[in-house]
């Protein structure tokens, strides 16, 4: 799999925005309770740098391994953050954002906490909702998260789901970074007006379980995402 190619990537400078080339070399993963004892110390030693850890799903489910996984990631010097699996069929976005924030999904200005990840449509359909209802659900989640943390959550999705269930809305590309799930040898089509996927989930599984991810940019750019200097995907060249 040729995942270490250079990718076209927008870099914001104080003097404006220009198009540059950045290598995809910063590896990461996402895990949940299905990974009972991932060796995160070893994973970091061999070069993985970031991890998203499942914290919550829907309005009531708390991942029982989140506290342990989060502490292990901290001890292993990962940049780490929580993720929430959206269940729009069960309650509104504001309600689920509050649940996520109360159970590990918040953001701390400590230089090592990534903004929370809203995983929506990666493993689901449109849940019987209209395009308008789906967009409103996402907006209410994003707005609630931003009001509480002054950060926008990363949005994780699939191109096909975003096109079908949100009408390929570009409403969120100026606020939230994109994690795009597309298992294969290339990142595929980027939805929603995002110019690039900040994080590409390119493979199911890996040596430590979960899913394999790669960050668009270098280690310093990843640190800027954690501290809030790269809160959104630039959209103008």
């Amino acid at each position: 799999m040729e995942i270490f190619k250079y990718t076209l990537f927008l870099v914001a400078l104080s003097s404006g925005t220009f198009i540059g080339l950045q290598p995809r070399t910063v590896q990461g993963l996402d895990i949940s309770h299905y990974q009972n004892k991932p060796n995160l110390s070893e994973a970091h030693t061999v070069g993985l740098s970031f991890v998203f850890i499942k914290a919550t799903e829907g309005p009531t489910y708390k991942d029982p391994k989140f506290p342990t996984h989060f502490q292990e990631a901290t001890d292993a010097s990962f940049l780490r953050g929580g993720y929430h699996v959206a269940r729009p069929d069960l309650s509104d976005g504001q309600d689920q954002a509050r649940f996520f924030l109360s159970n590990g999904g918040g953001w701390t200005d400590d230089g090592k906490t990534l903004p929370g990840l809203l995983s929506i449509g990666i493993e689901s359909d449109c849940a019987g909702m209209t395009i308008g209802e789906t967009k409103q659900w996402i907006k209410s989640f994003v707005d609630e998260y931003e009001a509480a943390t002054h950060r926008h959550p990363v949005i994780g999705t699939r191109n096909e789901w975003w096109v079908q269930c949100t009408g390929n809305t570009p409403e969120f590309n100026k606020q939230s970074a994109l994690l795009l799930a597309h298992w294969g040898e290339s990142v595929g089509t980027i939805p929603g007006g995002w110019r690039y996927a900040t994080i590409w989930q390119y493979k199911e599984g890996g040596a430590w379980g979960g899913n394999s991810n790669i960050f668009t940019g270098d280690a310093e750019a990843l640190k800027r995402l954690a501290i809030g200097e790269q809160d959104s995907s630039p959209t103008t060249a």
Side-chain angles (χ1 to χ4, degrees):
M1 181 177 296
E2 298 180 1
I3 58 174
F4 299 110
K5 292 183 177 179
Y6 283 79
T7 183
L8 200 60
F9 161 66
L10 295 175
V11 182
L13 294 181
S14 59
S15 59
T17 305
F18 72 100
I19 294 177
L21 289 173
Q22 290 287 332
R24 292 185 187 272
T25 58
V26 181
Q27 293 276 345
L29 71 164
D30 58 80
I31 57 174
S32 71
H33 64 278
Y34 291 112
Q35 288 70 55
N36 188 38
K37 293 183 178 180
N39 191 334
L40 294 179
S41 178
E42 180 179 308
H44 191 268
T45 297
V46 301
L48 278 73
S49 300
F50 67 96
V51 58
F52 281 105
I53 302 164
K54 184 174 180 179
T56 52
E57 179 173 344
T60 58
Y61 178 80
K62 295 185 285 188
D63 191 298
K65 295 295 292 185
F66 175 79
T68 300
H69 285 164
F70 195 85
Q71 186 60 54
E72 289 174 348
T74 302
D75 293 343
S77 299
F78 271 89
L79 296 183
R80 69 287 189 271
Y83 76 86
H84 174 79
V85 177
R87 289 294 306 273
D89 54 322
L90 297 181
S91 68
D92 64 34
Q94 183 183 58
D95 176 61
Q96 291 191 30
R98 288 174 176 170
F99 181 63
F100 180 44
L101 287 160
S102 297
N103 293 282
W107 176 77
T108 303
D109 185 15
D110 58 6
K112 55 189 177 183
T113 301
L114 295 167
L117 168 65
L118 170 63
S119 176
I120 185 164
I122 292 180
E123 299 179 359
S124 64
D125 56 21
C126 300
M129 297 173 66
T130 67
I131 286 173
E133 289 169 340
T134 301
K135 291 194 296 183
Q136 180 55 43
W137 194 98
I138 297 169
K139 184 178 187 302
S140 64
F141 186 103
V142 169
D143 287 351
E144 184 66 21
Y145 193 89
E146 193 275 335
T149 64
H150 306 291
R151 295 296 309 274
H152 295 102
V154 178
I155 293 177
T157 193
R158 293 180 295 114
N159 172 64
E160 297 82 1
W161 185 93
W162 195 264
V163 171
Q164 179 183 357
C165 300
T166 77
N168 206 26
T169 181
E171 181 176 349
F172 303 99
N173 65 43
K174 293 182 181 180
Q175 299 177 322
S176 291
L178 173 67
L179 181 151
L180 187 66
H182 184 262
W183 300 339
E185 295 187 358
S186 68
V187 69
T189 302
I190 309 295
W194 278 284
R195 289 294 186 93
Y196 63 94
T198 297
I199 299 167
W200 170 27
Q201 185 187 102
Y202 64 88
K203 184 174 69 173
E204 180 181 25
W208 295 274
N211 297 302
S212 297
N213 300 298
I214 194 162
F215 177 76
T216 299
D218 59 16
E220 288 303 313
L222 180 62
K223 290 178 182 177
R224 291 195 296 272
L225 177 64
I227 65 177
E229 292 181 4
Q230 189 180 322
D231 199 25
S232 61
S233 299
T235 57
T236 57

